[in-house]
Amino acid sequence: MRQQCYRIGELAKRTGVGVPTIRYYGEIGLLPEAGRGPGGQRLYGSSHLRRLMFIRHCRKLGFSQEDVRALLSHADQTNAPCKQVDRLARGHLTKVREKIAALQALEQALEDMIDGCQGGSVEECQIVEALTVGE
Amino acid sequence: MRQQCYRIGELAKRTGVGVPTIRYYGEIGLLPEAGRGPGGQRLYGSSHLRRLMFIRHCRKLGFSQEDVRALLSHADQTNAPCKQVDRLARGHLTKVREKIAALQALEQALEDMIDGCQGGSVEECQIVEALTVGE
DNA sequence: AATAAAACCTCTAGTAACTAGAGATGCAAG
DNA sequence: CTTGCATCTCTAGTTACTAGAGGTTTTATT
């Protein structure tokens, strides 16, 4: 019944996750360890493929490894209510929004700083001045 | 002429940079190494104070260590034109804007995903579905 | 069957920018 | 003289991988 068997390179091609990264995921237990062929190569099944896809989608959305681990364990419990998943996703969204806000403040500060610079020498540069004095 | 002498804790208090971080900056050469007192404690002067302030302002604005290093070396050449400084600042601003854009795309994707979820069990959760299938 | 190339293996170390901890010493006050 | 804080050095941990060395296995070609 184990008709589908992917070697690591095949799995990499199908998921878009790099070969060393797949091995790394195995090491840290994010992906269950693969079986091994006679020569010692890892052999993955379709469950690995699905799980790795899931992981990749999560990582693309910026979820941390820790979050991914939680999402995976929730996703496995098909009968449980999805409240936990929802909470994780919303929590992550909040963090993303906070990061955006922080970066926008940064953007503003940088713009102000750059606008103050009229060219000339470093001595009279408003950017250097701003960095020295702070605001 | 070395009237001003700060111990590392004093410098930390005045700059808002943590004690281990100051030691770390010394190690990596971002801050010149301090003189040492009889018992081996680091002793910093006012030039260290200024430099560390500069570094802190840079880091608060999200400049990388590499950028800070460059900014510092430019800031030291008071007669040179400030074009390089300007270029560094603008380059950094661009990177910040790119990061904001990427995060906003992420925000949208997360919102879409979360909006699809109607509650219920994990089996029918659109978030889990989206993470499994992608998009 | 021999050989060459691609894919795979393990292990170590490096990235950015610190942070945390262990265990030893110095320094000022009561 | 002892208590306690500040400091010292050194090592290792964080996040999420990535790069490289040096060796084996599998696959393809001759």
Side-chain angles (χ1 to χ4, degrees):
Chain A
M1 259 299 168
R2 59 167 46 252
Q3 65 278 62
Q4 294 286 47
C5 259
Y6 312 107
R7 308 236 311 257
I8 199 167
E10 180 71 11
L11 197 66
K13 222 171 288 172
R14 279 174 193 261
T15 58
V17 177
V19 167
T21 305
I22 296 175
R23 281 197 281 252
Y24 167 70
Y25 285 162
E27 261 170 47
I28 63 168
L30 206 55
L31 194 65
E33 279 290 6
R36 298 296 178 120
Q41 330 95 296
R42 290 166 178 84
L43 293 177
Y44 297 91
S46 48
S47 71
H48 290 103
L49 179 62
R50 267 200 314 282
R51 205 173 173 90
L52 188 50
M53 278 296 198
F54 188 95
I55 296 169
R56 200 199 52 160
H57 295 319
C58 290
R59 296 292 301 122
K60 269 206 174 168
L61 288 170
F63 283 98
S64 70
Q65 244 178 45
E66 199 190 334
D67 281 350
V68 175
R69 234 175 261 275
L71 285 168
L72 276 167
S73 89
H74 291 312
D76 285 344
Q77 312 204 316
T78 43
N79 290 334
C82 73
K83 247 176 59 184
Q84 303 292 324
V85 173
D86 198 70
R87 207 174 48 76
L88 274 166
R90 281 175 201 279
H92 181 50
L93 179 54
T94 300
K95 273 185 259 159
V96 168
R97 285 180 176 151
E98 281 167 5
K99 223 176 263 178
I100 290 171
L103 282 173
Q104 280 171 340
L106 215 69
E107 184 187 19
Q108 187 61 55
L110 281 168
E111 277 168 5
D112 290 351
M113 198 174 76
I114 290 168
D115 285 349
C117 176
Q118 306 294 325
S121 75
V122 165
E123 190 142 39
E124 52 203 14
C125 176
Q126 290 306 303
I127 296 178
V128 173
E129 180 65 14
L131 289 173
T132 303
V133 178
E135 308 316 286
Chain B
M1 259 298 168
R2 59 168 45 253
Q3 66 277 62
Q4 293 287 46
C5 260
Y6 312 107
R7 304 239 304 265
I8 198 166
E10 181 70 11
L11 197 66
K13 222 171 289 171
R14 279 174 194 260
T15 58
V17 177
V19 167
T21 305
I22 297 175
R23 281 196 280 253
Y24 167 70
Y25 284 164
E27 261 170 49
I28 62 168
L30 206 53
L31 195 64
E33 278 292 5
R36 296 299 178 120
Q41 328 95 297
R42 289 166 179 83
L43 293 177
Y44 297 91
S46 48
S47 71
H48 290 103
L49 180 61
R50 266 200 315 281
R51 204 173 173 90
L52 188 50
M53 277 297 196
F54 188 94
I55 295 169
R56 200 199 52 158
H57 296 318
C58 291
R59 296 293 300 123
K60 269 205 172 167
L61 288 170
F63 284 98
S64 70
Q65 246 178 42
E66 199 190 334
D67 280 350
V68 175
R69 234 175 261 273
L71 285 168
L72 277 167
S73 87
H74 290 312
D76 285 344
Q77 313 204 316
T78 44
N79 291 333
C82 74
K83 246 175 61 185
Q84 302 293 324
V85 173
D86 199 69
R87 206 175 48 76
L88 274 166
R90 281 175 201 280
H92 181 49
L93 178 54
T94 299
K95 272 184 259 161
V96 168
R97 284 181 177 150
E98 282 167 5
K99 224 177 262 179
I100 290 172
L103 282 173
Q104 280 170 340
L106 215 67
E107 185 188 19
Q108 187 61 56
L110 281 167
E111 278 167 5
D112 290 350
M113 197 175 76
I114 290 168
D115 286 349
C117 176
Q118 308 293 325
S121 75
V122 165
E123 189 142 39
E124 53 203 12
C125 176
Q126 289 307 302
I127 297 179
V128 173
E129 180 66 13
L131 289 173
T132 303
V133 178
E135 309 312 290

